[in-house]
Amino acid sequence: MDTFNFADGATVVAGPASIANHKELPRERSSDFPAKPYSAITNGLSKAKAVSANDFSKVDFALEDRPFFVPVGKDGITAALQKLDKQLQQTGRSNLLSKKHPVSWIGREVPPGNLGLINHGGLPKILTRPGRYPGFPLRNWWAREWGGTKGLSDTSIEFQGLTVVQVSQNQAAVVSDPQNRIFVIKNSGFVAYAVEGTYNVLAIVDQTHLQTAMKDHVTGVTLGWTHEVRMRSRVGTGKEQEYIVALFLNIPANNCAILQRGDDLELLPAGQHYITNPNVTLRGLYTLGENQLEMPTKDIFTRDQVPVGLRIYLKWQLVEPLKLTTHGYSTPYDALRDKTQSILTQIVAHLDYSSMVKQRSLGPDNLDDGTDPSSAFLDALRTRAMDEMHEAALEYGIILKDLAVIDRQFKGEIASTMDKLTTRALQAQVEAANVDRENSNKVKQEEGALAVARIRAQTRNCPRKTQADSEAYGVIAAAKAQAERTKIEALAQAEAIRLTAEADAEAIRIKAAADTGVVDQFAREMGMRRVEVSRIQAFGDKTVFVPSDGPGNQMGSAMAMGMAASMGSGARK
C-alpha cells in the first residue's frame, strides 16, 4: 500500500489503480472516458509524490524536517527519546531525559519495560532506566512532581507536551499536529515534543474491523466497511464542534470505491485505505461480482391501449464503475431500471394485446418455432429488448447477462374480465380434477376390493390344500409304517420258525444219538413200548390203529370207495 501526499498537507493512502483489480475488466477504456493516472486526484498539483506508507522520516508532510519530531526506528522508543533529547539540548532547551540514577533500596519504582514520568515545572522529564528513584536530596524534588509510569509498548503516551505513538501492523493512529493538520501513522510510530501547541492522538483505528457496514440498498450485498474519525474544535463562540478529519475504508475482494476530487474521478481497488484530504470525497462503493434481481415495471400500454405490468428478471455484472458514476448513478440497478422501462415501453407499444395474452414467461425453456400467436412478443423480447439492453448497459460499464419476463398482469377492465375468465376456467379445472379424482378413487377402491378378495381366496385355499397334503402325507406315512411293520414281523416270525426248527432238529438228533447209544436189547424194547404208550396217550384209549401196509390197507381202501359210491348215488336221487 502506497502513500500519496498533496501540497495542501492532506493524505490519501491507496494502491495505484486506474481500473479495478478484476480479471474480467477491459484493458482499454472507451475514447469518451480515457483512463487517468492516480495522480489525477491532485488536479495538477506538482508536488504530490507516491511514497511508502512506512517511510515516515522522508515522505509524509507531518514527518518532514520539522523540529523535535523523531520517527521510531528499529531501535525502539528509548533510542527515539535519546535522539529527541539531543535535539532539545542542541537548541538550548532543557533536556528531556532525567540524569537521575536508580538505586535498589528506596524511592519511586520504575519497573522494566516502563518509563517514569516527572513533571518538572511544567516540563517533562523521562526516566528510562528501571529501578528506584529516591526523593532526596530535597533540592532535586523541590519543583518536581511524580507523574507515574507508562509502558514502553503502550500505543499512545501524552505527557506535558511530549507525545509518543507506536502502532502495530493492523492499527492506524490518527494524529493532529500543533497546526491542526491531520496525518495517519501505520505500522510504525514517532516521538515528538510540541513547543507550541500539542500533538493530539484523535483515534487508534483497527483497519480490518471498521464499525460501519456499507450495503447495496437494492441487492443487500455488503460493499465494504467505513469508519469516520472526528475532531473537536472550538470556534469563536466558545462552543466545541465535531468535524470529520479522516475516513477509513476496508474494501473486500472483488469490490471497489470511487473517489472524487473536483471533476476528477478515480477508482480505488480492494484493500485498506484512508482519506484525510478534505478535497477528496467518497463517491460510492461498488461490487464487481454478478447480481440478479426481479424488477417490476410501470404500466405499459399496448397498441390497442390495454395496460399491462411486467415483472422481469435481470442478471448483470458491473465491470467499469467509473462509467456508471460518470453518468450519475449510485447503483447499477438504477441505470438498468430506467433503460429497461424505456426499452420495454417502446416494444410493448407496438404489440397487440392478443400477442401477449398467451405467453406468460420468456426463457430458454419456452422458445417456439414462430407459429404461436404470442411469438411476436417473444421475438421482440429475445431480439430487440436483449440487444438494446445489452448495448445500453455497456454504456454504463455493465454487462447484461440475462433478461427474462417472468410475469405479466393486465390492468383495468380487461384485467377484471381476464380474472373472471381465469376464475371460471380454474373452477372448471377444479371440477374436472374433482371428477377425475372421484373416478380414480372408485377405481382404486374396486381394485382394492378385488385384491382383498383374491388374497382371502388364496388364504382359504391355502389351509385346505395344506390339510389335504398333510392327510395324504399321513396316509403314505402310515402305509409305509404298516409295510415296514409287516416286513419286520414276517422276518421275526421266519427267524423264530427257523430257530424252532433248528432247536427241534437238534433235539431229535440228540434223542436219536441217545437212542443209538442204547445197546441193551431190553432197553430197546422198553423204549419202543414207551413210544407206543405215548402214541395211545396222544390219540386216546379207544383208538383203533389200522396198519397202512399189507392186506389190511387194501381192504380199507375198497371199503372207503364203496362207501363213497353209495353216498354219491343217494345224492343224485
Side-chain angles (χ1 to χ4, degrees):
M1 185 176 293
D2 298 334
T3 303
F4 290 82
N5 309 303
F6 304 107
D8 57 358
T11 305
V12 176
V13 172
S18 295
I19 59 174
N21 186 15
H22 193 274
K23 62 181 181 180
E24 296 186 2
L25 294 184
R27 296 183 180 275
E28 298 181 358
R29 301 191 181 190
S30 59
S31 58
D32 60 342
F33 200 87
K36 299 179 181 180
Y38 193 90
S39 57
I41 297 181
T42 62
N43 200 12
L45 297 176
S46 59
K47 295 183 180 180
K49 299 179 182 179
V51 296
S52 173
N54 297 330
D55 192 4
F56 293 105
S57 61
K58 298 180 180 178
V59 299
D60 201 291
F61 74 89
L63 307 181
E64 61 189 10
D65 294 335
R66 60 173 60 204
F68 317 129
F69 189 97
V70 179
V72 176
K74 296 181 180 180
D75 298 333
I77 295 293
T78 303
L81 289 173
Q82 292 174 355
K83 186 180 296 186
L84 178 60
D85 183 63
K86 290 181 181 180
Q87 292 181 5
L88 291 172
Q89 292 182 14
Q90 289 173 0
T91 58
R93 289 179 171 81
S94 176
N95 58 315
L96 178 65
L97 301 181
S98 175
K99 297 180 180 179
K100 289 181 174 295
H101 296 279
V103 297
S104 60
W105 48 281
I106 194 174
R108 302 282 187 177
E109 180 181 358
V110 178
N114 286 263
L115 297 175
L117 306 179
I118 299 176
N119 182 0
H120 186 185
L123 298 177
K125 294 292 183 181
I126 307 300
L127 303 174
T128 59
R129 289 173 290 184
R132 292 182 176 273
Y133 292 86
F136 56 86
L138 185 60
R139 57 183 176 84
N140 291 340
W141 291 93
W142 183 257
R144 293 179 173 86
E145 181 181 356
W146 176 253
T149 59
K150 295 289 185 179
L152 283 171
S153 299
D154 289 354
T155 302
S156 174
I157 300 175
E158 297 182 39
F159 180 71
Q160 299 300 119
L162 174 67
T163 303
V164 179
V165 175
Q166 55 179 350
V167 291
S168 62
Q169 292 88 341
N170 197 41
Q171 293 177 325
V174 183
V175 184
S176 171
D177 69 359
Q179 287 77 35
N180 287 338
R181 295 185 299 181
I182 306 300
F183 62 96
V184 177
I185 299 296
K186 298 176 61 178
N187 197 25
S188 185
F190 70 91
V191 294
Y193 180 70
V195 178
E196 297 177 354
T198 58
Y199 287 91
N200 296 321
V201 181
L202 302 178
I204 304 297
V205 180
D206 184 355
Q207 298 183 90
T208 58
H209 298 83
L210 302 183
Q211 298 178 356
T212 305
M214 304 295 292
K215 293 187 177 181
D216 191 329
H217 66 277
V218 177
T219 61
V221 177
T222 299
L223 305 176
W225 295 267
T226 63
H227 178 65
E228 295 177 348
V229 178
R230 301 173 181 268
M231 181 180 69
R232 288 183 175 274
S233 297
R234 187 180 298 277
V235 295
T237 59
K239 296 182 179 180
E240 289 187 350
Q241 296 183 0
E242 286 188 347
Y243 299 91
I244 299 175
V245 295
L247 175 64
F248 284 82
L249 301 174
N250 183 12
I251 305 175
N254 208 32
N255 289 5
C256 65
I258 300 296
L259 303 181
Q260 179 178 355
R261 180 187 174 105
D263 291 334
D264 294 329
L265 299 175
E266 187 61 29
L267 188 145
L268 199 62
Q272 300 168 1
H273 314 273
Y274 64 85
I275 303 172
T276 56
N277 187 351
N279 295 326
V280 176
T281 58
L282 177 64
R283 183 66 178 270
L285 294 171
Y286 302 92
T287 177
L288 301 179
E290 293 184 354
N291 294 274
Q292 54 188 1
L293 189 68
E294 292 184 9
M295 185 189 80
T297 64
K298 298 180 181 179
D299 292 348
I300 305 173
F301 286 89
T302 62
R303 185 167 58 181
D304 46 4
Q305 298 302 308
V306 176
V308 59
L310 302 178
R311 177 174 290 276
I312 64 175
Y313 167 80
L314 293 174
K315 184 178 182 180
W316 72 87
Q317 183 177 9
L318 180 64
V319 294
E320 292 188 81
L322 286 174
K323 287 187 177 182
L324 181 67
T325 310
T326 302
H327 286 82
Y329 290 103
S330 59
T331 64
Y333 172 77
D334 296 335
L336 293 176
R337 178 185 57 191
D338 295 342
K339 275 295 181 181
T340 302
Q341 182 70 37
S342 175
I343 292 173
L344 290 179
T345 300
Q346 296 176 9
I347 293 175
V348 174
H350 292 80
L351 298 177
D352 295 332
Y353 161 75
S354 59
S355 65
M356 301 178 61
V357 68
K358 289 188 177 182
Q359 188 64 47
R360 296 183 61 87
S361 62
L362 169 66
D365 297 332
N366 51 27
L367 300 180
D368 56 5
D369 55 358
T371 59
D372 191 357
S374 62
S375 60
F377 176 55
L378 299 182
D379 293 340
L381 287 174
R382 283 196 297 267
T383 56
R384 290 181 55 191
M386 193 65 183
D387 294 343
E388 293 182 14
M389 280 295 302
H390 183 72
E391 294 179 2
L394 290 178
E395 182 181 355
Y396 301 117
I398 303 171
I399 295 179
L400 184 64
K401 295 193 172 184
D402 193 8
L403 169 64
V405 178
I406 61 177
D407 191 15
R408 62 93 182 91
Q409 184 177 5
F410 295 98
K411 306 295 181 67
E413 295 181 359
I414 189 65
S416 60
T417 304
M418 287 293 296
D419 290 339
K420 293 179 181 178
L421 295 176
T422 302
T423 303
R424 191 176 305 167
L426 290 176
Q427 290 177 352
Q429 292 178 3
V430 170
E431 292 176 357
N434 291 335
V435 172
D436 292 340
R437 189 178 299 107
E438 291 178 359
N439 294 336
S440 177
N441 291 337
K442 291 180 180 179
V443 171
K444 290 182 179 179
Q445 288 177 0
E446 295 297 332
E447 291 178 351
L450 179 60
V452 170
R454 186 182 297 111
I455 293 173
R456 288 179 178 176
Q458 292 176 356
T459 305
R460 286 194 298 266
N461 292 333
C462 246
R464 293 178 181 177
K465 184 178 179 181
T466 304
Q467 184 177 1
D469 293 342
S470 177
E471 292 176 355
Y473 179 78
V475 171
I476 293 172
K480 288 183 179 180
Q482 185 66 26
E484 189 71 20
R485 176 184 176 184
T486 303
K487 181 179 178 181
I488 294 173
E489 289 178 353
L491 291 176
Q493 187 175 2
E495 184 67 19
I497 293 172
R498 186 182 64 81
L499 293 176
T500 302
E502 288 180 355
D504 292 342
E506 186 66 23
I508 292 170
R509 282 194 298 270
I510 294 173
K511 289 180 178 181
D515 291 341
T516 304
V518 177
V519 181
D520 187 24
Q521 186 64 29
F522 177 77
R524 287 177 178 270
E525 187 67 23
M526 288 303 294
M528 292 177 65
R529 295 287 187 264
R530 283 194 293 271
V531 172
E532 187 69 20
V533 172
S534 298
R535 184 177 62 175
I536 292 171
Q537 289 178 352
F539 291 100
D541 55 353
K542 296 181 178 181
T543 304
V544 178
F545 294 96
V546 180
S548 59
D549 295 332
N553 186 15
Q554 294 177 357
M555 184 176 58
S557 298
M559 291 175 67
M561 290 177 62
M563 186 177 179
S566 64
M567 289 176 65
S569 176
R572 284 193 298 267
K573 291 179 179 181

